[in-house]
């Protein structure tokens, strides 16, 4: 029975864990305070801490959530999205931004500053500012806003990630729509606030604001999250369906210090005078602790809940310290050294003046991985692990065209409308580089972009249908074996899995949405048949797994 559940594990959710980013010495961790599964979007309250973030949102200094994702139109008439309020930034433009565009913006700013003839503004200070504005697009946008330098946005304008990629924004008079590669979408107000999230099947979340704070988030099934705040606009509580409640307390106004989640579990958080999280304690009294270099805002040490210690060191190239540096981490548990790793980074400047991560080389327990990245898409163009190398080629819109290793070359083609993989041709080679075989796979989609059909040259075949909420309803393989799936509407998870003519698997759930019991009157044979069908599905889609958005 466990095999059957494992085979359709992708229908269930997973949770991430903490890390220290060796590239920027940032500690991050994510907590889930509420999770209400459903037939559409799961209503989740998820907050993430980043030690190097200056974002001070509803959850306090350094904390952010997907609810706080925002956008703005910058000086060159492009859209900049800030994920999680103050997290990763992505620029969307109606075309590739050139160095000429950037220089023109800077020139207008400098001209207006000269015209003001302010005391202390000298030619040398303006020259230094030019360099800063070229390299820092955030500063450039701030100055452009301050001095009224802007490019008007026309209705219907389509903006692409990095000027090229499939993901895009469209401006439609009163709102901006962000269209994702998986068919989902986000909608933003002209002021840049997130107002709606849609999936490809029409399920949605709607955000309502009270002035500048979120008041409610409601899904298409009328389930709702309601927010209450302290006077300083920090969240006091979030209430959800079925009486679920999350409560928050703060120290020094901005530091989240106490959380009781929807399951009644209490977590506490401590900080230093710079708002750096130094300790987080779990309900079982275990804790993590973080030590910082306060001058540089770097993580120097991390102690996990098992009391293992990670020590970090950062060094810089003498020739180019800004763009070439490395970090090392040593992890010890008691007296045993568990890891002693090195991470090395190189950045380069693009023609438009912006810098990008060009190369990363890691040494993990003696194994070396060397990755080079595309200057526009930020995706790998070469991955070398010890003596083995994988290379990538891309279409102009950033989709993978070729993935090649010494033993296989995979060529991808895409549906021109929905930009999902339509075929993969894989050529296999022997040790001497001679082609020994070829395998092909084809994929088709329904009108909503759901995978409806897949087959390969080995004779494996899968047909899939979906219910009106985009959930898999039936799977039929090349032997005409059918698996039917019915869902428990409260949580939107599989409740009955039927293999017609053979039997059924019944899944029940606890009040929190976790699996309670899996049963079948017909015994393990049903589970084996279901597992076989799902494994067949995974085999057929395997060549395109990285490029398919199921």
């Amino acid at each position: 029975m466990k095999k059957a559940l494992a085979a359709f594990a992708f229908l269930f959710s997973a949770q991430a864990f903490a890390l220290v980013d060796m590239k920027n010495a940032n500690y991050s961790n994510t907590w889930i305070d509420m999770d209400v599964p459903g037939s559409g979007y799961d209503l989740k309250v998820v907050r993430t801490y980043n030690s190097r973030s200056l974002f001070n949102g509803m959850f306090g200094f350094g904390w952010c959530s997907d609810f706080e994702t925002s956008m703005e139109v910058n000086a060159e008439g492009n859209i900049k999205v800030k994920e999680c309020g103050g997290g990763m930034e992505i620029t969307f433009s109606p075309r590739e931004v050139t160095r000429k565009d950037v220089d023109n913006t800077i020139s207008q700013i400098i001209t207006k500053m000269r015209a003001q003839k302010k005391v202390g503004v000298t030619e040398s200070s303006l020259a230094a500012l030019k360099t800063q504005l070229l390299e820092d697009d955030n500063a450039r946008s701030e100055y452009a806003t301050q001095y009224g330098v802007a490019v008007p946005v026309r209705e219907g304008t389509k903006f692409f990630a990095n000027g090229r990629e499939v993901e895009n924004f469209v401006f439609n008079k009163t709102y901006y729509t962000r269209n994702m590669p998986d068919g989902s979408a986000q909608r933003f107000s002209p002021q840049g606030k997130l107002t709606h999230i849609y999936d490809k099947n029409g399920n949605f979340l709607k955000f309502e604001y009270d002035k500048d704070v979120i008041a409610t988030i409601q899904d298409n099934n009328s389930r709702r999250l309601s927010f209450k705040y302290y006077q300083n606009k920090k969240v006091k509580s979030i209430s959800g369906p079925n009486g679920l409640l999350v409560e928050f307390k703060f120290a020094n106004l901005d530091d989240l210090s106490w959380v009781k989640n929807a399951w009644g579990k209490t977590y506490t958080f401590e900080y230093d005078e710079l708002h750096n999280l130094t300790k987080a304690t779990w309900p079982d009294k275990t804790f993590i602790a973080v030590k910082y270099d306060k001058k540089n805002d770097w993580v120097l040490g991390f102690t996990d809940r098992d009391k293992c210690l990670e020590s970090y060191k950062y060094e810089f190239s003498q020739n180019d310290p800004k763009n070439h540096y490395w970090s090392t981490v040593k992890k010890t548990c008691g007296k045993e050294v568990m890891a002693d790793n090195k991470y090395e980074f190189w950045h380069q400047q693009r023609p438009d003046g912006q810098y990008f991560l060009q190369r990363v080389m890691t040494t993990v327990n003696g194994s070396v991985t060397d990755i080079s990245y595309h200057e526009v898409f930020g995706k790998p163009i070469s991955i070398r692990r010890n003596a083995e190398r994988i290379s990538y080629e891309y279409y102009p819109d950033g989709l993978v065209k070729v993935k090649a290793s010494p033993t296989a070359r995979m060529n991808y083609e895409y549906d021109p409308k929905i930009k999902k993989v339509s075929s993969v041709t894989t050529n296999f080679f022997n040790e001497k580089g001679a082609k020994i075989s070829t395998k092909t796979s084809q994929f088709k989609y329904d009108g909503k972009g759901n995978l409806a059909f897949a087959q390969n040259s080995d004779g494996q075949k899968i047909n899939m249908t979906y219910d009106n909420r985009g959930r898999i309803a039936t799977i039929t393989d090349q032997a005409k074996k059918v698996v039917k799936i019915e869902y428990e509407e409260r949580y939107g998870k599989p409740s009955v899995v039927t293999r017609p003519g053979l039997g059924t698997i019944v899944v029940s759930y606890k009040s929190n949405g976790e699996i309670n019991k899996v049963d079948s009157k017909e015994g393990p044979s049903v589970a084996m048949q279901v597992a076989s069908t799902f494994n067949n599905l995974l085999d057929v889609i395997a060549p395109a797994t990285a490029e398919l958005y199921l």
Side-chain angles (χ1 to χ4, degrees):
M1 192 65 65
K2 290 182 179 179
K3 289 184 179 180
L5 284 175
F8 54 88
F10 63 86
L11 295 171
F12 302 89
S13 60
Q15 188 169 339
F17 53 89
L19 60 90
V20 173
D21 190 330
M22 302 301 291
K23 179 165 62 70
N24 60 14
N26 175 72
Y27 164 73
S28 66
N29 204 346
T30 296
W31 279 261
I32 299 177
D33 296 325
M34 183 188 297
D35 186 0
V36 188
S39 56
Y41 274 103
D42 290 348
L43 285 179
K44 281 188 177 183
V45 178
V46 182
R47 55 190 164 80
T48 297
Y49 178 79
N50 286 287
S51 64
R52 301 205 67 185
S53 173
L54 298 178
F55 183 67
N56 191 359
M58 71 167 76
F59 294 108
F61 202 98
W63 292 90
C64 69
S65 68
D66 287 343
F67 299 156
E68 297 166 288
T69 295
S70 63
M71 58 141 283
E72 65 180 11
V73 179
N74 69 13
E76 284 77 47
N78 303 320
I79 290 174
K80 178 178 288 186
V81 173
K82 294 183 179 180
E83 305 283 9
C84 194
M88 181 177 66
E89 296 182 353
I90 305 173
T91 298
F92 295 77
S93 59
R95 72 231 185 281
E96 286 187 73
V97 178
T98 66
R99 176 64 177 269
K100 184 178 179 181
D101 297 322
V102 176
D103 287 342
N104 181 55
T105 299
I106 296 173
S107 176
Q108 292 184 66
I109 293 170
I110 297 299
T111 298
K112 293 194 175 188
M113 291 183 70
R114 280 200 184 101
Q116 288 185 336
K117 298 181 179 180
K118 286 186 176 181
V119 176
V121 177
T122 64
E123 287 303 315
S124 60
S125 67
L126 290 176
L129 181 61
K130 280 185 179 180
T131 301
Q132 178 191 355
L133 296 181
L134 176 63
E135 299 177 357
D136 188 343
D137 56 347
N138 283 324
R140 193 167 65 248
S141 290
E142 290 175 5
Y143 274 87
T145 300
Q146 181 180 345
Y147 288 96
V149 177
V151 176
V153 179
R154 297 178 181 177
E155 182 183 358
T157 300
K158 184 174 285 189
F159 301 78
F160 294 90
N162 296 313
R164 296 185 185 182
E165 296 185 58
V166 173
E167 185 179 335
N168 64 77
F169 263 87
V170 178
F171 176 54
N172 186 5
K173 282 189 178 180
T174 58
Y175 58 85
Y176 293 84
T177 300
R178 180 186 185 183
N179 299 299
M180 308 290 203
D182 64 355
S184 64
Q186 296 174 335
R187 182 177 291 182
F188 295 84
S189 70
Q191 294 74 37
K193 290 188 178 298
L194 182 63
T195 63
H196 297 78
I197 300 176
Y198 300 90
D199 70 12
K200 61 186 176 184
N201 297 296
N203 299 303
F204 65 82
L205 296 177
K206 181 181 180 181
F207 295 69
E208 294 285 353
Y209 291 83
D210 180 4
K211 296 180 180 178
D212 57 349
V213 297
I214 298 173
T216 62
I217 299 175
Q218 183 170 307
D219 71 3
N220 51 293
N221 296 314
S222 298
R223 300 182 308 161
R224 177 180 297 188
L225 298 178
S226 298
F227 295 72
K228 292 183 178 180
Y229 297 87
Y230 294 100
Q231 288 186 348
N232 64 346
K233 299 181 182 179
K234 302 306 176 193
V235 65
K236 184 176 184 179
S237 66
I238 302 175
S239 57
N242 307 317
L244 294 176
L245 180 69
V246 186
E247 298 176 278
F248 305 88
K249 294 180 182 179
F250 294 81
N252 304 317
L253 297 178
D254 292 324
D255 293 331
L256 180 64
S257 59
W258 180 93
V259 176
K260 180 184 284 187
N261 66 22
W263 303 281
K265 304 295 184 180
T266 299
Y267 295 77
T268 60
F269 305 92
E270 299 175 22
Y271 306 81
D272 63 21
E273 69 278 10
L274 299 177
H275 303 287
N276 292 313
L277 178 67
T278 57
K279 186 177 181 180
T281 303
W282 269 249
D284 61 3
K285 304 304 179 183
T286 60
F287 63 88
I288 59 95
V290 190
K291 182 180 178 181
Y292 299 88
D293 175 340
K294 295 181 182 179
K295 180 180 178 181
N296 294 299
D297 196 24
W298 298 338
V299 173
L300 294 180
F302 173 76
T303 303
D304 66 21
R305 295 170 66 190
D306 294 322
K307 298 184 179 180
C308 294
L309 175 64
E310 298 175 13
S311 300
Y312 300 89
K313 185 178 180 180
Y314 309 94
E315 298 179 86
F316 300 84
S317 164
Q318 292 184 351
N319 296 329
D320 190 6
K322 183 177 180 180
N323 298 309
H324 180 202
Y325 49 88
W326 52 92
S327 53
T328 56
V329 57
K330 187 174 184 178
K331 181 176 181 177
T332 56
C333 296
K335 295 182 179 180
E336 184 178 0
V337 176
M338 307 299 293
D340 193 353
N341 305 330
K342 180 180 179 181
Y343 303 79
E344 192 166 3
F345 306 91
W346 290 262
H347 290 77
Q348 283 189 359
Q349 192 173 28
R350 298 193 312 226
D352 65 1
Q354 298 299 300
Y355 285 85
F356 73 99
L357 181 62
Q358 185 266 335
R359 182 185 176 196
V360 177
M361 184 165 65
T362 64
T363 304
V364 177
N365 296 326
S367 179
V368 178
T369 301
D370 194 344
I371 306 176
S372 296
Y373 294 91
H374 194 284
E375 69 173 41
V376 175
F377 305 131
K379 299 176 181 179
I381 55 176
S382 172
I383 301 176
R384 188 183 298 275
R385 291 187 176 91
N386 299 321
E388 297 182 1
R389 180 176 180 269
I390 299 174
S391 62
Y392 295 84
E393 298 175 21
Y394 297 92
Y395 287 101
D397 58 9
L399 294 173
V400 175
K401 182 178 182 180
V402 176
K403 177 182 178 182
S405 70
T407 58
R409 181 181 176 89
M410 305 174 73
N411 293 274
Y412 295 85
E413 295 182 6
Y414 297 82
D415 182 296
K417 184 177 180 180
I418 60 176
K419 300 294 184 178
K420 293 186 177 182
V421 176
S422 59
S423 71
V424 181
T425 301
T426 306
N427 294 311
F428 296 94
F429 304 89
N430 62 20
E431 294 179 354
K432 296 182 179 180
K435 186 169 73 172
I436 55 176
S437 64
T438 298
K439 182 176 180 177
T440 60
S441 303
Q442 286 83 37
F443 307 91
K444 295 180 181 179
Y445 305 86
D446 65 18
K448 294 182 177 179
N450 297 306
L451 180 66
F453 173 80
Q455 69 175 2
N456 61 31
S457 53
D458 291 338
Q460 291 176 298
K461 186 183 298 184
I462 285 289
N463 284 278
M464 301 169 69
T465 64
Y466 299 80
D467 65 16
N468 58 4
R469 290 180 175 170
R471 302 170 299 193
I472 298 173
T474 65
I475 303 174
T476 306
D477 67 12
Q478 67 275 359
K480 305 297 183 182
K481 295 178 181 178
V482 179
V483 171
K484 296 182 178 181
I485 305 172
E486 299 175 30
Y487 295 84
E488 201 277 347
E489 290 304 319
R490 183 178 181 185
Y491 303 111
K493 295 181 178 181
S495 59
V496 180
V497 181
T498 304
R499 175 73 176 85
L502 191 62
T504 61
I505 298 170
V506 178
V507 185
S508 62
Y509 297 88
K510 299 177 183 178
S511 59
N512 62 1
E514 294 179 356
I515 293 177
N516 178 49
K517 187 178 181 181
V518 180
D519 194 21
S520 175
K521 294 180 180 179
E522 291 78 16
S525 60
V526 181
M528 296 301 293
Q529 287 277 357
V530 170
S532 174
T533 301
F534 274 94
N535 287 331
N536 191 53
L537 166 63
L538 297 176
D539 286 343
V540 176
I541 68 174
T545 299
E547 299 303 313
L548 282 175
Y549 300 92
L550 294 180

